[in-house]
Structures are given as C-alpha cells and as structure tokens.
Amino acid sequence: MSKSIIFDMDGTLFQTDLILEYALEDTFEHLRSMGKWNDPIPLQQYREIMGVPLPQVWKTLLPNHSTKDREYIDSYFLEKLLKNISDGNGSLYPNTKEILSYLHEKHYAIYIASNGLTVYLEAIISHYQLDQWITETFSIQQIDSLNKTDLVKRIIEKYGITNAAVVGDRLSDFNAARDNGLLSIGCNFDYAKEDELSHAHYVIDDLMELKELLSPNERED
C-alpha cells in the first residue's frame, strides 16, 4: 500500500516565530503611523491564535477596524513576511530537511496542508528548496470553508490516499486527521498547547522521531 504524510507548515516545519515578531511590529507600527493604532503590539495575542487563517487573525486583533482596513493590513503583513523569508530571517525546525529526505527515500508521498496563503508557502518552499521532496503544497486559500479538514480531504481525494498521517502542532491538524480517518502526530514545538496535543495519536519533540513512528515496518493505521 502506498504511504503518504501530510505536514502542516507553520510551527511544524517552519519556525514562524523568527519572522513573526519582525513582520507584526512593522505592520502595527505602520498602522500607528496611519493614526489607526495606539495600543501595544499584540504579539502574544497573535501567538495564542497562531495557525488560524489570516482573515480570522485580523478579525481577532483588529475587531474594531473596517473590513477595508483589515484587507489592507493583511496585504501589508504578507509583504513583510515574504521579505523576511527572502532575507533569510526565518528558519526550518531542526532536522526538517533530514526527515523529508528520509521519508522521500522510503517512498512516502509528502504533502503540505497549511492555513498559510499560497504565495507565503511558495516562498518558504522555494527559499529552502523543499520542492525536491514535496509532491504538492495545499493552501487554505483553495478551500472556501477555510477548514483544514476540508483541505486534507482535498489532498486525499486528488491522490487517492488511503494510508497517511497528518503531522502538525495545532488542534485543527489533529481534527483534520481524525475527520478523515488518518493517523495524527503532534509536534510539541513553539505554538503547541498541551490540551490540543492530547488529541493527537502520538506526540513528538523532534521531527527525527518520525523515523521510529513511521518505520518501514510500520502499522497500517
């Protein structure tokens, strides 16, 4: 039976926190210069909701701003994120390339299912040359519902997947696995929360632990 593995991106493969603070500070200082923000930069609040689609982020962080303002800030923030990626301010989590290479050698089909925007994901894939291992990257932009369960379902249907694991750090990843009858593996990294990790079948502290969980003699979960 063919094997597949579906990775989340932010907080799972890519250390988003390394560029998040820069981009968020730039964005809210820009808002401040426009006379549309007077409070401290809500970095911790964003970290609490990290992993949700950006439209939901701005509804949470800017509840009293207009839709037009949110759309403008969304675009501005994305521009800053992309610049930080291209400037090399971000980083992959330890052993990301090593585990992707290992899984590829073991004939896994590797996919990305992320709440990130397409252009953002493409920037990461390109900058770190991950396309040599990844079959296809799927963005939440491709799903009208903005629901990761539906995004994972699209991957399953497109590639006829019957045996797979979803690797991520947030509840949306584990729900997507459960709702699609897949194995879930939680990454106990920066944005992970203990109560959410409890919903995963397995929890790892390092990506190389996947070698043990997904060995050539693995279970047919």
Side-chain angles (χ1 to χ4, degrees), residues 24-25 28-29 31-32 37-46 61-62:
L24 207 67
E25 285 182 353
F28 277 86
E29 287 302 332
L31 261 179
R32 199 185 306 278
W37 187 259
N38 298 310
D39 298 323
I41 297 169
L43 179 60
Q44 186 56 41
Q45 188 179 5
Y46 189 15
L61 300 186
L62 302 172

Side-chain angles (χ1 to χ4, degrees), residues 5-207:
I5 188 160
I6 302 169
F7 284 96
D8 175 44
M9 180 63 83
D10 292 323
T12 299
L13 299 182
F14 185 66
Q15 296 188 59
T16 318
D17 61 314
L18 297 181
I19 65 171
L20 172 65
E21 187 166 350
Y22 294 120
L24 207 67
E25 285 182 353
D26 284 343
T27 299
F28 277 86
E29 287 302 332
H30 183 61
L31 261 179
R32 199 185 306 278
S33 72
M34 297 168 61
K36 295 190 175 184
W37 187 259
N38 298 310
D39 298 323
I41 297 169
L43 179 60
Q44 186 56 41
Q45 188 179 5
Y46 189 15
R47 284 176 171 160
E48 289 294 320
I49 62 173
M50 186 66 195
V52 304
L54 277 178
Q56 188 174 336
V57 166
W58 303 121
K59 285 183 180 179
T60 301
L61 300 186
L62 302 172
N64 299 319
H65 287 66
S66 67
T67 299
K68 183 178 180 180
D69 281 345
R70 290 178 194 154
E71 290 175 349
Y72 171 75
I73 286 303
D74 186 62
S75 177
Y76 187 90
F77 181 68
L78 178 60
E79 178 185 321
K80 294 302 178 182
L81 284 178
L82 296 179
K83 185 177 188 306
N84 275 283
I85 293 170
S86 66
D87 287 348
N89 292 329
S91 181
L92 300 174
Y93 278 99
N95 298 317
T96 292
K97 289 189 174 183
E98 290 80 0
I99 196 61
L100 292 179
S101 176
Y102 171 83
L103 292 170
H104 188 264
E105 290 174 0
K106 296 299 180 182
H107 308 294
Y108 277 84
I110 302 170
Y111 307 94
I112 300 294
S114 171
N115 282 337
L117 302 180
T118 300
V119 65
Y120 167 75
L121 298 172
E122 289 175 347
I124 296 172
I125 298 293
S126 175
H127 185 81
Y128 296 100
Q129 301 178 325
L130 302 183
D131 52 344
Q132 60 186 303
W133 302 298
I134 294 171
T135 300
E136 189 172 352
T137 298
F138 291 77
S139 164
I140 202 69
Q141 275 186 302
Q142 298 169 246
I143 300 295
D144 291 337
S145 67
L146 299 182
N147 187 307
K148 186 166 278 192
T149 289
D150 295 334
L151 187 62
V152 168
K153 183 179 180 182
R154 174 166 292 190
I155 300 173
I156 291 171
E157 291 178 343
K158 179 172 182 178
Y159 287 94
I161 294 170
T162 57
N163 180 34
V166 175
V167 181
D169 66 315
R170 300 307 299 267
L171 184 60
S172 61
D173 301 305
F174 315 140
N175 285 344
R178 181 201 64 210
D179 295 343
N180 286 289
L182 305 180
L183 183 73
S184 59
I185 301 173
C187 294
N188 188 22
F189 299 164
D190 295 311
Y191 300 111
K193 297 182 178 181
E194 186 175 350
D195 60 329
E196 295 187 0
L197 289 172
S198 68
H199 291 268
H201 289 105
Y202 298 96
V203 176
I204 60 174
D205 297 306
D206 187 293
L207 289 169

